[in-house]
Amino acid sequence: MQIDQKSPTTASVFSDLRTRAVDVFMAGVREADPADGVEQALSGKSFNRPTIISVGKAGVSMAEAAMRKVQAETVVVVTNYENARPLEGAEVRAASHPIPDDEGARAALRVEEALCMAKGDVIALISGGGSALLPAPVNGVSLEDKAKVNALLIASGADIVMMNLIRQQLSRLKGGGFLRAAAPSHVTTLVLSDVVDDDLRAIASGPSVSPIGSRADAVAALKSLKVWNRLPSSVREHLMKPESDLGPLPESETILVGSNRRSVSAMARASGGGKAKGVHVFPAPLTGDVDEAAHVILDCVKEKGIYLFGGETTVKLAGKGLGGRNQELALRVARLAGERGLEDYVFLSGGTDGRDGPTDAAGGLVDSTTLSRLKDAGVDIDDVLARNDSYHGLEAVGDLLKIGATGTNVADLQVLILP
């Protein structure tokens, strides 16, 4: 783990607080380690000639845990490049996230093949990121077209549920596609949730559960996001076709093995307990636009202590800079705290997967000296935010949070400390 700190002032005055914020955050990340959850879920269960399919950022670690409990005939793992590693007895494939690539398309074909050829039960291990990692475009839609849709959705500020509603309608494997491909095999799915309300249909676009909505719903969502006319023509044509009547999905079993809520609870325990004096757990998921989220966070401040949040915010991209929602949220909190005259604070916002947007940082770690250090470095915070260039703004003052790929993903966590 690397905590990017360059400022002597920050190191001398805020070092202990920054370290504590990271420790609390990492307690939440450790709680999301899927190994224990997978092993507990599989304990006492028996399977007939099982095939294991593990997809997502936690794909390798979930498969590894499952293989300790189940002797499978076939194990196929699809994960992102950062988390890929060899796993004895398994076929591990790496693909791109968040924008799908050719390796992901080839991996999707291999998963379809393994599901269709399963001779017994299927164990599906699903974690966040699986949607982009397993692109299986419907007939008539190319991978390039699907990648364009994904990029438009990311830039639009759409939340994860809306994004996956649309993705499901463009995929052979999402929205219950696993169940149809595997039929008549029985599918047991273990899910590590990266969705704040644990909606199973939205996690990795719900490969083994019913879809979120219909093609008409996807069209309405795309029009509300004002991107319908920017879609590839093949996508518009497919979504305007009549709904397909594929009949009911085969029956299956789904078990939740980790979530954002559990990680927030773990942060509370690491802070001294959820009911300890001075520890405040925000009762609802932190969602919505990052600027609105910054106001929600600072509006909570009534006294000194530790304030804990979990959820997944959104960013509507207007500039062409580099960053992610956690980095931008950290900078927006710093700016708003400065406007409100908040003194002596540390704020951390990070992704539990260790990667925020298309960067090598998990998020940002700011404090009440961040604004002055930005000014000394010649960085205009308003300009940085207007260009969505939070990465380079935070990098200039050593306020990036870098922890490396974690092998898990339960959305984002935030820690605000006022000593």
Side-chain angles (χ1 to χ4, degrees):
M1 178 179 69
Q2 173 191 355
I3 306 169
D4 196 358
Q5 290 184 339
K6 297 179 182 177
S7 168
T9 301
T10 301
S12 60
V13 177
F14 290 97
S15 178
D16 289 346
L17 288 179
R18 290 168 73 95
T19 298
R20 188 177 185 195
V22 173
D23 288 344
V24 170
F25 170 74
M26 291 306 298
V29 172
R30 287 192 296 273
E31 179 68 17
D33 184 335
D36 288 345
V38 168
E39 291 191 33
Q40 289 176 21
L42 293 177
S43 292
K45 287 185 174 291
S46 60
F47 299 92
N48 173 41
R49 304 182 68 181
T51 292
I52 294 176
I53 306 293
S54 187
V55 180
K57 293 182 180 179
V60 176
S61 55
M62 291 183 80
E64 189 171 35
M67 291 169 69
R68 288 195 288 267
K69 304 296 291 187
V70 175
Q71 186 173 355
E73 294 197 356
T74 301
V75 181
V76 179
V77 180
V78 184
T79 192
N80 55 322
Y81 292 114
E82 295 84 350
N83 286 317
R85 58 182 171 85
L87 179 58
E88 186 176 356
E91 176 186 344
V92 178
R93 290 173 173 256
S96 174
H97 182 278
I99 304 299
D101 66 358
D102 289 335
E103 291 301 318
R106 283 188 279 271
L109 289 173
R110 176 66 184 104
V111 166
E112 281 186 293
E113 178 186 47
L115 289 169
C116 291
M117 295 181 65
K119 298 175 181 178
D121 297 325
V122 172
I123 302 172
L125 308 173
I126 305 299
S127 55
S131 187
L133 292 169
L134 213 63
V138 292
N139 290 335
V141 176
S142 68
L143 178 61
E144 182 181 7
D145 287 345
K146 196 167 181 185
K148 288 179 181 177
V149 174
N150 217 43
L152 283 171
L153 292 175
I154 291 171
S156 72
D159 64 29
I160 190 65
V161 175
M162 186 176 288
M163 290 177 70
N164 286 341
L165 158 67
I166 296 161
R167 288 166 169 167
Q168 287 174 347
Q169 297 302 322
L170 301 176
S171 172
R172 303 188 305 273
L173 287 176
K174 298 173 175 59
F178 268 37
L179 301 185
R180 298 195 188 280
S185 296
H186 182 269
V187 179
T188 299
T189 305
L190 275 56
V191 178
L192 180 69
S193 172
D194 66 335
V195 177
V196 292
D197 60 358
D198 300 331
D199 185 342
L200 299 176
R201 301 170 304 167
I203 302 163
S205 293
S208 59
V209 294
S210 60
I212 295 170
S214 65
R215 289 179 188 172
D217 294 328
V219 171
L222 287 161
K223 288 182 177 179
S224 72
L225 294 170
K226 303 187 186 307
V227 298
W228 174 255
N229 292 328
R230 297 163 61 192
L231 295 172
S233 59
S234 65
V235 172
R236 293 198 302 270
E237 289 171 7
H238 173 76
L239 292 176
M240 293 303 292
K241 292 177 181 177
E243 301 286 344
S244 301
D245 184 11
L246 300 176
L249 285 172
E251 291 186 5
S252 64
E253 179 184 11
T254 302
I255 304 168
L256 189 67
V257 297
S259 69
N260 187 264
R261 296 174 186 174
R262 295 184 188 182
S263 287
V264 173
S265 295
M267 290 200 303
R269 293 193 297 272
S271 302
K275 296 182 179 180
K277 184 178 181 180
V279 178
H280 311 273
V281 178
F282 191 63
L286 187 67
T287 59
D289 181 77
V290 286
D291 190 56
E292 297 172 3
H295 282 80
V296 169
I297 289 166
L298 292 183
D299 286 347
C300 289
V301 175
K302 306 299 181 185
E303 59 184 3
K304 294 181 178 181
I306 298 180
Y307 295 80
L308 305 173
F309 308 81
E312 185 169 280
T313 57
T314 58
V315 176
K316 190 167 185 178
L317 298 180
K320 297 183 179 180
L322 182 66
R325 60 181 179 261
N326 289 290
Q327 295 163 64
E328 183 151 331
L329 177 57
L331 276 180
R332 289 187 179 276
V333 165
R335 183 174 68 173
L336 186 59
E339 292 173 356
R340 295 187 178 186
L342 187 64
E343 298 180 352
D344 297 335
Y345 75 87
V346 166
F347 175 73
L348 179 155
S349 184
T352 53
D353 61 352
R355 182 177 178 181
D356 184 35
T359 76
D360 61 353
L365 176 58
V366 298
D367 58 54
S368 48
T369 70
T370 293
L371 294 182
S372 62
R373 288 184 286 114
L374 286 169
K375 184 176 180 181
D376 291 344
V379 177
D380 184 331
I381 189 172
D382 293 327
D383 176 64
V384 165
L385 290 172
R387 291 185 292 109
N388 298 116
D389 200 26
S390 53
Y391 182 92
H392 292 119
L394 292 166
E395 183 182 45
V397 293
D399 281 2
L400 287 171
L401 175 70
K402 295 184 179 182
I403 61 173
T406 64
T408 189
N409 183 26
V410 291
D412 306 328
L413 301 171
Q414 290 82 24
V415 181
L416 174 65
I417 302 179
L418 283 81

